[in-house]
Amino acid sequence: MDLAAISTEYVKVTVVARAGGATINPAIPPSFAFLATDVSPEPADWLTGEWLTPHARILIGPSGGITTLEPADYRVWIKFAGGSETPIHRTGTLTVY
């Protein structure tokens, strides 16, 4: 996905999985991390998103977004609750220009 640094838009990740044999719990919001390097997220990197089934989404940008990202290439990570598991996946890249 490409996103202008001056734009405010939702970054969406489609989540269609069953974790721990139970469906994903939509009452617990997903978390996102945007990292400019290829390292695993630290606890402070996580930002709270929301569910719009089947998507996890988070509003990014300067006009009311959860965070504003500087121009760069980011690895997008997602974390969500499902059953007794908490899957964490790198889902792709986001280019902010």
Side-chain angles (χ1 to χ4, degrees), residues 65-85:
I66 300 297
T67 191
T68 300
L69 300 174
E70 296 298 320
D73 290 326
Y74 295 91
R75 279 99 180 145
V76 180
W77 292 77
I78 187 168
K79 174 172 67 169
F80 56 92
S84 60
E85 297 182 336

Side-chain angles (χ1 to χ4, degrees), residues 15-80:
V15 180
V16 283
R18 292 187 181 270
T23 56
I24 296 165
N25 185 348
I28 301 172
S31 297
F32 289 82
F34 300 92
L35 302 176
T37 59
D38 200 16
V39 297
S40 295
E42 297 291 329
D45 295 326
W46 293 105
L47 304 167
T48 302
E50 63 186 20
W51 292 108
L52 183 63
T53 306
H55 305 289
R57 69 181 189 170
I58 189 167
L59 190 62
I60 300 296
S63 297
I66 300 297
T67 191
T68 300
L69 300 174
E70 296 298 320
D73 290 326
Y74 295 91
R75 279 99 180 145
V76 180
W77 292 77
I78 187 168
K79 174 172 67 169
F80 56 92

